[in-house]
């Protein structure tokens, strides 16, 4: 006569626990993505980049969402002048609270494009967050920004444009030499460098 294995109940119990854990993990992931819509204080963050900083979008999405906000990526622009020409036509949803402006080049126009962009946004209920990258237009030229404009200055975390490595921060997976690569040999920002920009922007927005 065949016998039922004596450990069948424990196997069934383990199977139920494993299934329950998987369900909890799925629910937790769904809540994480839906939280900006659930939380009453959450407001959307729109982001405009250029081609230099477009790879920062996944990092910005992660860091900003972890603070309970939704992120919407708008079409990239080549420079500030192009942005100034089109900022008045931006179609922003009513729940957009912040607009991250991560643009490095000035472009070709007669007026100060940064001032024009910020003036256009005044009174819209949208707070601009201006990213200032080392060696970018805003970093090298004397552009007058009002004190209330939120600026994400990242030079202290990225170093100069020729600096490839920077000392580790507390969030880095730090190698033995105590430095992480923030730029590649061609000068483009690494994931570690882009992550540093995202963390500064997210902390300013809160």
């Amino acid at each position: 006569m065949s016998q039922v294995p004596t450990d069948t109940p424990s196997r069934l119990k383990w199977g139920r626990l494993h299934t329950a854990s998987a369900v909890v993990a799925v629910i937790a992931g769904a809540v994480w993505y839906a939280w900006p819509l659930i939380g009453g204080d959450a407001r959307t963050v729109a982001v405009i980049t250029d081609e230099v900083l477009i790879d920062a979008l996944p990092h910005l999405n992660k860091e900003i969402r972890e603070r309970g906000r939704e992120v919407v990526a708008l079409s990239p622009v080549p420079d500030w002048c192009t942005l100034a020409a089109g900022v008045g036509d931006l179609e922003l949803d009513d729940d957009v609270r912040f607009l991250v402006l991560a643009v490095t080049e000035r472009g070709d126009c007669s007026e100060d494009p940064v001032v024009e962009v910020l003036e256009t946004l005044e009174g819209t209920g949208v707070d601009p967050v201006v990213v200032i990258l080392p060696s970018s237009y805003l970093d090298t030229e004397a552009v007058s920004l009002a004190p209330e404009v939120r600026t994400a200055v990242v030079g202290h975390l990225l170093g100069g444009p020729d600096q490839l490595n920077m000392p580790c921060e507390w969030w880095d997976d730090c190698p033995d030499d105590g430095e992480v690569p923030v730029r590649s040999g061609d000068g483009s920002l690494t994931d570690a460098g882009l992550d540093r920009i995202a963390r500064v922007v997210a902390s300013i927005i809160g």
Side-chain angles (χ1 to χ4, degrees):
M1 180 182 296
S2 59
Q3 294 182 346
V4 177
T6 56
D7 61 345
T8 297
S10 62
R11 287 182 177 179
L12 291 173
K13 183 178 180 181
W14 171 251
R16 294 192 188 100
L17 288 174
H18 183 71
T19 302
S21 298
V23 171
V24 169
V26 171
I27 293 174
V31 170
W32 186 84
Y33 274 100
W35 181 250
L37 302 177
I38 299 172
D41 294 333
R43 299 294 298 274
T44 299
V45 178
V47 181
I48 297 178
T49 73
D50 57 12
E51 292 301 323
V52 174
L53 291 175
I54 195 168
D55 289 337
L57 284 173
H59 301 269
L60 287 165
N61 187 63
K62 174 180 178 294
E63 293 297 327
I64 293 172
R65 286 194 65 91
E66 285 183 352
R67 290 162 172 79
R69 297 184 182 275
E70 184 61 272
V71 180
V72 175
L74 305 180
S75 298
V77 296
D79 49 54
W80 278 100
C81 287
T82 303
L83 178 57
V87 67
D89 297 325
L90 285 179
E91 296 183 359
L92 299 175
D93 291 340
D94 292 339
D95 62 344
V96 171
R97 177 69 175 80
F98 297 96
L99 177 59
V100 177
L101 304 171
V103 183
T104 55
E105 299 297 328
R106 181 187 192 280
D108 185 14
C109 52
S110 57
E111 302 297 329
D112 187 324
V114 179
V115 172
E116 187 173 347
V117 168
L118 298 179
E119 287 180 347
T120 302
L121 292 173
E122 287 181 2
T124 63
V126 176
D127 288 345
V129 180
V130 180
V131 178
I132 302 181
L133 195 69
S135 77
S136 67
Y137 165 59
L138 285 172
D139 185 52
T140 57
E141 300 294 330
V143 179
S144 178
L145 299 178
E148 63 270 17
V149 175
R150 302 174 190 234
T151 55
V153 182
V154 296
H156 62 293
L157 292 174
L158 296 178
D162 298 325
Q163 193 157 348
L164 302 184
N165 301 308
M166 287 290 289
C168 294
E169 297 294 334
W170 63 265
W171 60 78
D172 290 316
D173 184 9
C174 194
D176 293 338
D177 63 2
E179 293 187 335
V180 292
V182 295
R183 290 183 180 83
S184 302
D186 61 0
S188 61
L189 291 165
T190 64
D191 280 337
L194 295 168
D195 179 66
R196 292 182 172 209
I197 294 174
R199 286 176 179 272
V200 171
V201 171
S203 66
I204 289 173
I205 293 174

